[in-house]
């Protein structure tokens, strides 16, 4: 199991690694433990497992886990690498579904986790890292702005009712 | 050459089809003919051709062209299909680099083009369509809101200096 980076916070070590199938329930737990995520999760485990297989098989995606020294999953984020024609045919890295367990917040761990993701995007040749964040997540916007992100865009979404 | 949809506006027919390599210069021209795009394009043709090859080879991407009955390329948009763990393992469709030639605007053509993209996302099983738009593009936000999009998010970006 390849450790992608070790993050040290207050003398405690955390590891970033590629997510494995066995991590899926813990990652879904992190996604659901959130004011907005709470109402969005709760599908069958098989739906999450199928999604994991598809993400894991894609060369354009990297689902990452953050683990404590105990092995417990305490964070997750998803990176998507999108080649475009615009900006001279640039590659962009997109962050989605970023979560750090509430027991591990306010210690700088999240910032180091995102910094790893930014470095991973740079290493793959991305010219841009982008994300959207719900307008209600004021603290998250400040967090990303401290890391250098600029809130230059509006994010618009359209839900599709599946038949 | 498969026509994905015929759009009729004021008695004139336009076609949506998958972009081909020969369309790249016209698509780049559309990307550059824009207040924000103007300063972003101008790379070597080989960079755009390489990007096209990568996009075209990806099963997670669909680069679309809108053509007039003359065959002229008058619009482009890029769709990326992103499987995630969140929202029950949902697939989302993402729109980037949407352009319609200035000679074809204000006739409802752009709305029909986006409606095709939404339908394509639905057909592939997406539960969500998303995009970001620069905060200065007020008219674009109104355009997307008329199509049902909700500006619920902030879009944050971080430029990476390539070494």
């Amino acid at each position: 199991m390849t450790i992608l980076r070790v993050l040290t916070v207050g003398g405690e070590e955390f590891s970033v690694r590629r997510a494995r199938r066995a991590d899926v329930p813990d990652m879904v737990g992190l996604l659901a433990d959130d004011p907005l995520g709470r109402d969005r999760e709760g599908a069958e485990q098989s739906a999450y497992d199928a999604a994991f297989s598809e993400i894991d098989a894609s060369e354009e995606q990297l689902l990452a886990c953050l683990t404590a020294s105990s092995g417990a999953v305490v964070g997750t984020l998803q990176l998507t690498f999108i080649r475009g024609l615009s900006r001279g045919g640039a590659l962009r890295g997109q962050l989605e579904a970023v979560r750090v367990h509430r027991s591990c917040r306010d210690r700088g761990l999240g910032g180091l986790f995102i910094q790893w993701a930014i470095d991973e995007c740079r290493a793959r040749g991305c010219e841009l890292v982008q994300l959207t964040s719900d307008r209600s997540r004021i603290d998250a916007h400040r967090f990303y702005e401290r890391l250098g992100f600029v809130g230059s865009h509006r994010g618009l979404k359209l839900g599709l009712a599946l038949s």
Side-chain angles (χ1 to χ4, degrees), chain A:
Chain A
M1 183 183 65
T2 312
I3 302 296
L4 299 170
R5 182 171 293 179
V6 175
L7 311 180
T8 306
V9 176
E12 195 176 346
E13 287 194 347
F14 298 85
S15 299
V16 180
R17 61 168 172 75
R18 189 180 180 94
R20 296 168 299 181
R21 179 172 302 275
D23 301 319
V24 172
D26 288 338
M27 288 191 290
V28 173
L30 287 170
L31 293 174
D33 182 22
D34 176 86
L36 296 171
R38 188 173 297 149
D39 300 327
R40 291 180 190 154
E41 306 309 332
E44 297 286 328
Q45 182 61 36
S46 59
Y48 293 108
D49 284 340
F52 175 81
S53 298
E54 193 175 324
I55 297 165
D56 195 51
S58 170
E59 292 184 5
E60 290 149 58
Q61 298 237 52
L62 173 56
L63 187 59
C65 259
L66 178 65
T67 60
S69 52
S70 65
V73 174
V74 297
T76 179
L77 66 77
Q78 179 171 358
L79 273 173
T80 309
F81 303 99
I82 304 172
R83 178 66 67 185
L85 216 54
S86 65
R87 298 173 186 250
L91 186 68
R92 53 183 79 197
Q94 182 162 301
L95 277 163
E96 293 264 11
V98 177
R99 295 287 191 284
V100 170
H101 191 274
R102 53 180 73 243
S103 68
C104 297
R105 290 181 202 159
D106 303 317
R107 297 161 59 185
L109 183 60
L112 294 176
F113 192 27
I114 299 297
Q115 194 56 58
W116 163 77
I118 293 169
D119 292 345
E120 180 71 24
C121 289
R122 189 181 280 112
R124 293 205 186 204
C126 293
E127 295 180 30
L128 197 70
V129 185
Q130 64 185 23
L131 63 94
T132 70
S133 178
D134 193 279
R135 286 168 75 172
S136 67
R137 298 193 198 265
I138 305 295
D139 288 349
H141 305 160
R142 291 205 190 105
F143 166 80
Y144 288 115
E145 282 165 355
R146 280 196 301 271
L147 290 164
F149 286 83
V150 178
S152 53
H153 282 59
R154 283 188 72 191
L156 296 107
K157 300 199 191 259
L158 172 72
L160 300 181
L162 292 180
S163 55

